[in-house]
């Protein structure tokens, strides 16, 4: 079975969409909380997710045909060359760290809600963050499982 490029591309697009939604919800949270950076963490989390997913799509092995990996085996899932593996690892690490921080903030907000609007906002951000992190794990599993090198 070959590399499921179409599935990975769909999952990357889902990451972009979730990143944009988290960015918008983070902006709403920042405004709703009057400049506090609690739920406003969605702004950097969403922006970095969109950047990381876009870079992953751009450097994917599916564009331009298959190219053998020149990365170390531990970093193959990040892309076909060593030049992109480092920056992508940094982008995805930052995105995942920001999403985990946002998840913690959303849980803290739900335990001590300031208003009904903030509860809804925290719930939406928790859902989007959980979906984004789940898709990261699914793509990682696919890349590690189907890597022909």
């Amino acid at each position: 079975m070959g590399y499921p490029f179409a599935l990975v591309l769909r999952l990357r697009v889902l990451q972009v969409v979730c990143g944009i939604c988290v960015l918008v919800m983070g902006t709403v949270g920042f405004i709703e909380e009057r400049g506090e950076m609690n739920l406003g963490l969605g702004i950097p989390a969403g922006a970095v997710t969109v950047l990381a997913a876009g870079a992953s799509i751009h450097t994917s092995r599916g564009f331009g045909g298959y190219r053998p990996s020149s990365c170390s085996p531990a970093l193959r899932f990040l892309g076909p060359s060593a030049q992109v593996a480092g920056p992508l690892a940094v982008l995805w690490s930052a995105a995942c760290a920001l999403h985990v921080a946002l998840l913690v903030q959303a849980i803290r907000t739900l335990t001590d809600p300031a208003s009904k609007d903030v509860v809804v906002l925290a719930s939406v951000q928790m859902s989007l963050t959980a979906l984004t992190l789940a898709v990261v794990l699914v793509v990682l599993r696919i890349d590690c499982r189907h890597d022909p090198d």
Side-chain angles (χ1 to χ4, degrees):
M1 181 175 179
Y3 184 77
F5 178 67
L7 174 63
V8 172
L9 185 60
R10 287 184 195 110
L11 292 171
R12 293 290 186 204
V13 170
L14 177 61
Q15 287 172 329
V16 170
V17 170
C18 285
I20 292 169
C21 291
V22 168
L23 177 69
V24 171
M25 291 294 118
T27 304
V28 172
F30 186 74
I31 293 168
E32 184 70 29
E33 294 180 322
R34 292 176 177 79
E36 301 257 337
M37 203 54 172
N38 297 327
L39 295 177
L41 278 174
I43 298 169
V48 174
T49 301
V50 170
L51 187 62
S56 293
I57 291 170
H58 178 71
T59 60
S60 175
R61 292 187 205 177
F63 289 114
Y66 175 76
R67 294 179 305 258
S69 178
S70 64
C71 292
S72 70
L75 298 176
R76 283 186 194 152
F77 65 91
L78 291 172
S81 71
Q83 292 87 9
V84 299
L88 277 177
V90 170
L91 282 173
W92 278 116
S93 296
C96 289
L98 286 166
H99 277 285
V100 168
L102 179 59
L103 194 60
V104 169
Q105 282 300 108
I107 291 169
R108 287 180 59 200
T109 300
L110 288 176
T111 59
D112 186 28
S115 71
K116 185 179 177 183
D117 293 336
V118 174
V119 169
V120 172
L121 188 59
S123 300
V124 169
Q125 283 190 334
M126 268 183 35
S127 300
L128 289 169
T129 293
L131 180 60
T132 302
L133 291 173
V135 172
V136 167
L137 293 175
V138 169
V139 171
L140 180 64
R141 183 173 184 261
I142 289 170
D143 283 350
C144 289
R145 188 172 192 204
H146 292 281
D147 190 356
D149 291 338

